[in-house]
Amino acid sequence: GAGVSQSPSNKVTEKGKDVELRCDPISGHTALYWYRQSLGQGLEFLIYFQGNSAPDKSGLPSDRFSAERTGGSVSTLTIQRTQQEDSAVYLCASSLALGWTGELFFGEGSRLTVL
Amino acid sequence: GNSVTQMEGPVTLSEEAFLTINCTYTATGYPSLFWYVQYPGEGLQLLLKATKADDKGSNKGFEATYRKETTSFHLEKGSVQVSDSAVYFCALSGDDGLTFGKGTHLIIQP
């Protein structure tokens, strides 16, 4: 597609349920990033992929969070046993390569609400 | 590690006022610096960037100059419009992507 696509755009779930958020980057972009945007907290970096590899998972908030990327394209961010503090907008971005000093292209985000 | 500090809002101005949003950074090496903007209901998009010291980035009437001596990248615009109302994020590049500031909510009143 022309831009970074994320789904679902909105997700409301009950505490304790698992959720999956999907990101489809721009075709040909090898680097993919996940951020979390919470009110008053700005943009929190979660994880990045170079190809299918995520060398550093230390940005993930807890072991309930995991992410994978397959075929150097689509990525899924999974949150297990959701908690209310997980409520936020989850943003995905892609770029031509890691360390690229040009632009990161962002999707419109997935808004997660945990009741 | 890398960090970005920017003034937190909301910043409320009247149309045609002069705008400055301060941004300072801490980084190893020589990062590139960016301003991203998020209009209501939309995703983040790049507003401008500068890749080395003394470079000036500009777009849509906004400007920012990469000042290595003061580790700053302040965003300015001479005459703001209602359509500039948005959240503005300062960011710097690193080995694992961009580090963002917390964002500044700008409100322009007619």
Side-chain angles (χ1 to χ4, degrees):
Chain A
V4 177
S5 178
Q6 291 188 246
S7 62
S9 55
N10 271 290
K11 175 73 175 178
V12 180
T13 191
E14 293 179 347
K15 178 181 171 181
K17 302 283 190 183
D18 297 352
V19 297
E20 280 191 356
L21 307 176
R22 175 189 167 106
C23 174
D24 201 343
I26 292 173
S27 178
H29 281 193
T30 63
L32 184 147
Y33 314 80
W34 283 99
Y35 290 85
R36 178 166 72 173
Q37 186 176 17
S38 306
L39 194 62
Q41 297 299 315
L43 281 164
E44 176 188 6
F45 171 76
L46 299 180
I47 192 168
Y48 74 89
F49 289 87
Q50 177 59 39
N52 292 331
S53 174
D56 181 3
K57 300 180 180 179
S58 63
L60 294 174
S62 76
D63 59 8
R64 296 184 294 103
F65 287 71
S66 63
E68 66 175 13
R69 189 180 185 194
T70 56
S73 182
V74 172
S75 176
T76 302
L77 178 69
T78 301
I79 309 172
Q80 295 179 307
R81 305 180 303 282
T82 52
Q83 303 294 311
Q84 289 183 333
E85 62 261 29
D86 299 334
S87 296
V89 177
Y90 290 83
L91 295 172
C92 177
S94 70
S95 66
L96 278 172
L98 194 65
W100 171 244
T101 57
E103 185 173 355
L104 261 62
F105 293 83
F106 281 83
E108 295 193 3
S110 292
R111 180 177 295 279
L112 174 66
T113 303
V114 181
L115 302 177
Chain B
N2 294 343
S3 67
V4 175
T5 302
Q6 61 180 106
M7 55 193 297
E8 295 186 33
V11 173
T12 303
L13 295 173
S14 298
E15 204 165 21
E16 300 183 3
F18 183 85
L19 168 72
T20 300
I21 301 178
N22 289 336
C23 170
T24 57
Y25 67 90
T26 302
T28 55
Y30 303 97
S32 294
L33 301 175
F34 305 82
W35 277 99
Y36 277 76
V37 59
Q38 186 176 34
Y39 296 105
E42 299 184 16
L44 270 80
Q45 55 187 275
L46 179 66
L47 179 61
L48 54 84
K49 70 174 184 179
T51 57
K52 62 182 188 295
D54 300 325
D55 267 4
K56 177 185 285 187
S58 61
N59 185 26
K60 299 183 179 181
F62 290 88
E63 293 183 339
T65 301
Y66 190 159
R67 301 288 189 198
K68 193 170 187 301
E69 63 277 12
T70 55
T71 60
S72 65
F73 193 54
H74 304 323
L75 182 68
E76 296 182 336
K77 186 173 185 181
S79 177
V80 292
Q81 305 301 312
V82 172
S83 57
D84 294 327
S85 298
V87 182
Y88 292 81
F89 293 89
C90 185
L92 63 83
S93 63
D95 291 338
D96 54 1
L98 298 184
T99 299
F100 287 87
K102 290 191 173 183
T104 302
H105 186 193
L106 177 65
I107 301 169
I108 307 300
Q109 296 178 332

